[in-house]
Amino acid sequence: LLEHGSGLRLLAGRLRETAPVGEEAALALLDALRRAADVVVVDAGADPSPFALCAARTAAQTWIVTEPEPTAVERASALMEH
């Protein structure tokens, strides 16, 4: 985890395409992050990874922020349906 001067800790995402993370590995990583922090924020991006989808499914709260453009709203709607 990278630590910012504000106390925020960041787990940076992938820089290039890698093999998908399986659900078991995603759940284990989310569990470790939840033990290490009071709040875990996942930036799912426009095309959410299997990890981001797993995080959304298991979250106590899910906030979706999007642009007011048709494609962005469609993708946000699809994320909510997962």
Side-chain angles (χ1 to χ4, degrees):
L1 295 173
L2 304 173
E3 186 142 355
H4 183 269
S6 67
L8 178 74
R9 291 176 290 169
L10 172 72
L11 175 62
R14 63 183 188 245
L15 293 175
R16 61 185 176 283
E17 193 60 37
T18 59
V21 174
E23 185 160 343
E24 188 175 320
L27 288 171
L29 178 55
L30 287 166
D31 185 50
L33 290 170
R34 289 181 179 130
R35 284 192 312 260
D38 295 330
V39 176
V40 175
V41 176
V42 175
D43 181 352
D47 187 20
S49 68
F51 173 79
L53 295 173
C54 185
R57 273 195 316 276
T58 61
Q61 291 184 15
T62 303
W63 295 17
I64 298 177
V65 179
T66 188
E67 294 288 327
E69 297 181 15
T71 302
V73 173
E74 287 173 14
R75 287 182 179 216
S77 295
L79 179 59
M80 288 187 290
E81 291 174 6
H82 268 280

